[in-house]
């Protein structure tokens, strides 16, 4: 009986030891796997440590707060500036707000018969310190240079907590760009471009929407440009190009903008001495539009005449594939070579467009 108990105890001890060793090995393997997830390798095969989970969370949080600052802080403020809303602008400034601006220092300037450009970028001791009321008056004074309500937009360039590491900080510092553009008088474009650093408190949606959130703003560069007339004239419609049928990011809100809505490709495909233009666009049933060029910059839509049609925008290339002297057209709407083709002919075919 005693021997049986000893044997049972021995077997139990061995099983327990094996379980402990396996558990340690599994823990070690998990640790190695987790470490491998944070590593990549350079071209020589050496391991490179990637960011930690804490650093990754910090970046995600910072991006979130940056989006909040843009949507609930900058966008409403831009609207108030455009409308010269003194009361609305003052509402976002804290009681201790102060700004550094160029109010008396002479700017660098360049002027010719067509345009005038000024640039102000001076050290702190040459800047004026303004309180909230003075800053609002100064800002409204800039808007007064436009004969009608200008467009205003902020661009966030950098954002970080004051202490540099807290995930939910009480104070942030940011670098941003302010662009104000319009016309100083009818037909005379005018633009103000300003770079600045700012200090703000908690970047929460409710705080940015309902409270004073801007405590400090220091301009580092202000550039102003104005011209007696527009340097380029809109003649797209006059030349025969139908932009109303195309996706236009300029006339859409940021939410509806598309990073790659199409492209423009030039080629004298019919060899008449005038450049022709192929437009790819994501809007409309036909994503390919071919314009035949003529004298005086005129363009004629010949898409149906040459049999072009595609439900994909994709990428296009003109080249003489078969070396017969005529430009051929390759249309690719996916990333892999086997997906090169043109809708309307067999998939994988290259469509050659003969002269009209």
């Amino acid at each position: 009986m005693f021997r049986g108990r000893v044997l049972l105890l021995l077997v139990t001890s061995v099983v327990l030891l094996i379980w402990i060793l396996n558990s340690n090995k599994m823990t070690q393997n998990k640790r190695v796997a987790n470490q491998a997830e944070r590593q990549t390798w350079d071209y020589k095969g050496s391991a490179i440590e990637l960011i930690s989970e804490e650093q990754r969370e910090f970046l995600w949080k910072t991006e979130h707060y940056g989006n909040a600052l843009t949507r609930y802080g900058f966008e409403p403020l831009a609207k108030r500036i455009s409308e010269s809303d003194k009361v609305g602008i003052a509402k976002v400034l804290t009681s201790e707000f102060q700004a550094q601006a160029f109010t008396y220092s002479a700017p660098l300037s360049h002027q010719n018969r067509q345009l005038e450009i000024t640039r102000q970028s001076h050290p702190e001791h040459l800047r004026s310190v303004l309180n909230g009321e003075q800053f609002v008056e100064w800002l409204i004074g800039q808007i007064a240079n436009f004969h009608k309500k200008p467009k205003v937009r902020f661009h966030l360039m950098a954002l970080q907590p004051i202490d540099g590491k807290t995930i939910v900080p009480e104070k942030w510092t940011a670098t941003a760009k302010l662009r104000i553009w319009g016309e100083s008088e009818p037909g005379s474009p005018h633009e103000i471009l300003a770079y600045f650093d700012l200090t703000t408190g908690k970047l929460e949606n409710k705080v940015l929407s309902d409270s004073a959130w801007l405590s400090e703003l220091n301009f580092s560069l202000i550039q102003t440009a104005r011209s007696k007339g527009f340097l380029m004239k809109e003649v797209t419609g006059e030349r025969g190009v139908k932009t109303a049928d195309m996706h236009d990011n300029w006339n859409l809100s940021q939410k509806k903008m598309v990073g790659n809505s199409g492209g423009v490709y030039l080629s004298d495909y019919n060899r008449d001495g005038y450049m022709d233009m192929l437009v790819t666009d994501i809007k409309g049933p036909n994503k390919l539009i071919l314009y035949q060029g003529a004298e005086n910059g005129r363009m004629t839509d010949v898409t149906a005449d040459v049999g072009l049609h595609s439900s994909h925008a994709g990428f296009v290339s003109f080249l003489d594939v078969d070396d017969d002297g005529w430009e051929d057209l390759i249309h690719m709407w996916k990333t892999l070579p086997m997906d090169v083709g043109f809708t309307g002919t067999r998939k994988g075919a290259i469509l050659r467009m003969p002269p009209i």
Side-chain angles (χ1 to χ4, degrees), residues 18 57 75 125 147 220:
I18 294 174
E57 183 182 2
E75 290 182 4
H125 70 277
H147 84 96
S220 58

Side-chain angles (χ1 to χ4, degrees), residues 73-228:
F74 282 159
E75 290 182 4
L77 180 57
K79 185 175 184 294
R80 295 169 185 175
I81 294 174
S82 177
E83 296 174 347
S84 298
D85 180 3
K86 292 184 179 182
V87 175
I89 298 172
K91 282 183 177 180
V92 308
L93 309 180
T94 62
S95 57
E96 70 274 12
F97 173 85
Q98 70 173 20
Q100 291 185 2
F102 311 109
T103 59
Y104 62 86
S105 55
L108 298 174
S109 63
H110 172 77
Q111 184 175 2
N112 58 30
R113 291 180 298 177
Q114 183 64 27
L115 57 87
E116 177 185 1
I117 300 176
T118 61
R119 178 187 177 98
Q120 292 175 294
S121 177
H122 302 299
E124 290 187 14
H125 70 277
L126 292 178
R127 306 176 195 171
S128 300
V129 179
L130 309 177
N131 61 28
E133 184 178 350
Q134 292 170 331
F135 173 73
V136 172
E137 292 296 332
W138 177 85
L139 195 56
I140 296 300
Q142 307 304 309
I143 302 300
N145 292 313
F146 298 86
H147 84 96
K148 62 180 181 180
K149 184 172 71 174
K151 295 181 179 180
V152 180
R153 179 172 293 179
F154 286 92
H155 300 268
L156 181 61
M157 301 171 64
L159 177 68
Q160 67 177 19
I162 292 293
D163 64 7
K165 59 182 179 181
T166 305
I167 293 181
V168 187
E170 296 292 327
K171 282 191 174 183
W172 294 83
T173 179
T175 300
K177 177 175 68 174
L178 169 63
R179 182 178 178 230
I180 308 173
W181 73 101
E183 297 181 6
S184 56
E185 55 185 58
S188 298
H190 182 45
E191 179 185 63
I192 300 174
L193 193 63
Y195 292 86
F196 61 90
D197 298 318
L198 67 84
T199 303
T200 182
K202 287 186 176 180
L203 295 177
E204 298 176 354
N205 300 356
K206 185 173 179 57
V207 173
L208 293 169
S209 301
D210 304 331
S211 308
W213 53 270
L214 184 56
S215 58
E216 185 177 354
L217 190 149
N218 300 319
F219 287 105
S220 58
L221 183 148
I222 299 179
Q223 180 173 290
T224 303
R226 66 180 71 200
S227 174
K228 295 180 180 179

Side-chain angles (χ1 to χ4, degrees), residues 12-13 21 23 27 32 38 49 72 113 134-135 139 145 148 154 180 189 193 219 231 277 287 303 341 353:
T12 302
S13 300
L21 291 175
S23 298
T27 302
V32 171
R38 298 195 302 269
E49 188 73 15
Y72 298 100
R113 291 180 298 177
Q134 292 170 331
F135 173 73
L139 195 56
N145 292 313
K148 62 180 181 180
F154 286 92
I180 308 173
L193 193 63
F219 287 105
L231 302 180
M277 179 173 70
K287 313 301 183 183
T303 310
M353 297 181 296

